[in-house]
Amino acid sequence: QSVLTQPPSASGTPGQTVTISCSGSRSNVGRNIVNWYQQVPVTAPRLLIHSDNHRPSWIPDRFSGSKSGTSASLAITGLQSEDEGDYYCATWDDSLNGVVFGGGTKLTVL
Amino acid sequence: EVQLVESGGGLIQPGGSLRLSCGGSGFSVTREYLSWVRQAPGKGLEWVSVLYSGGTTYHADSVKGRFSISRDTAKNTFYLQMNSLRAEDTAFYYCAISTGWPGFDFWGPGTLVTVSS
């Protein structure tokens, strides 16, 4: 069972907007920055969002992050077929003294 | 451009030891946060270890006392020494680096470690 809670699955049709949530606690999401990672099948993960809501230069602006209290969210607008894959949130946990990941959300583009 | 590549994975018996290496180009082991993350087949991501540029290390509870992380500045390579391996350590192991913490800005393609008799 993961310290950060994500929905196991999400789906949408091309062009739609999908939001993936990440719920934690005061010792992790509530106190530290949240990053999001995308993993398409049979490849290594890649950074999507860092520091709650900042995109690396190579990530399209269809991807955005937000955080409020002990919950964070990833939004994907203008959904495309290549967005299919697994999405993970992650942050530092002050109680565990380590990085914690969410269990991952499998995104399907219908 | 940052490129990372892991090496050293393979099949190892329970109780055995293995050392993974992470090298490449476009980064410096003295400036970045150096990490290892693993993923058991069909499972999610699990952070393993980090080495800060100043030398501080942290490890996940699941590997504490068995795994250690280090670097070789001359070779610009960092390592994960894995001792007392267990079946539950079977996973793809990814090395990752970042300029800020916590974070994994760039990842290697991964190397598979299989612990089995």
Side-chain angles (χ1 to χ4, degrees):
Chain A
Q1 196 152 359
S2 303
V3 172
L4 305 182
T5 300
Q6 296 180 234
S9 63
S11 63
T13 56
Q16 276 190 330
T17 295
V18 168
T19 301
I20 297 172
S21 62
C22 174
S23 178
S25 67
R26 281 188 297 179
S27 66
N28 43 64
V29 175
R31 287 185 189 159
N32 297 290
I33 61 169
V34 174
N35 301 321
W36 290 88
Y37 302 90
Q38 177 196 54
Q39 186 177 31
V40 297
V42 204
T43 65
R46 70 164 178 166
L47 177 66
L48 268 186
I49 298 289
H50 68 89
S51 305
D52 298 338
N53 54 17
H54 291 80
R55 271 179 301 105
S57 58
W58 58 89
I59 299 299
D61 59 6
R62 302 187 297 106
F63 295 89
S64 63
S66 63
K67 190 176 83 172
S68 178
T70 59
S71 291
S73 293
L74 172 71
I76 309 172
T77 60
L79 203 59
Q80 299 179 4
S81 58
E82 56 260 38
D83 297 333
E84 278 204 342
D86 296 318
Y87 292 80
Y88 297 89
C89 59
T91 186
W92 183 262
D93 189 294
D94 291 339
S95 297
L96 298 175
N97 260 345
V99 173
V100 289
F101 279 96
T105 298
K106 186 176 186 64
L107 175 64
T108 301
V109 180
L110 303 169
Chain B
E1 182 189 4
V2 174
Q3 290 191 326
L4 301 172
V5 60
E6 306 91 346
S7 60
L11 175 64
I12 186 77
Q13 290 191 336
S17 297
L18 211 56
R19 189 179 79 160
L20 305 182
S21 301
C22 180
S25 59
F27 73 101
S28 169
V29 296
T30 60
R31 287 198 310 264
E32 325 282 358
Y33 293 90
L34 313 172
S35 301
W36 291 91
V37 177
R38 68 184 181 182
Q39 185 172 35
K43 303 296 185 182
L45 300 174
E46 180 189 17
W47 169 75
V48 175
S49 301
V50 63
L51 171 57
Y52 289 4
S53 56
T56 301
T57 62
Y58 291 97
H59 302 277
D61 286 346
S62 58
V63 306
K64 207 169 288 184
R66 301 187 298 124
F67 291 12
S68 62
I69 186 171
S70 63
R71 62 188 168 188
D72 185 328
T73 56
K75 295 181 179 179
N76 202 43
T77 298
F78 62 104
Y79 307 96
L80 184 68
Q81 178 66 43
M82 305 185 294
N83 300 328
S84 302
L85 282 162
R86 307 166 180 167
E88 54 264 36
D89 296 318
T90 294
F92 286 94
Y93 283 74
Y94 299 101
C95 65
I97 64 164
S98 62
T99 55
W101 188 253
F104 311 109
D105 298 352
F106 300 99
W107 299 65
T111 187
L112 178 61
V113 172
T114 303
V115 185
S116 174
S117 54

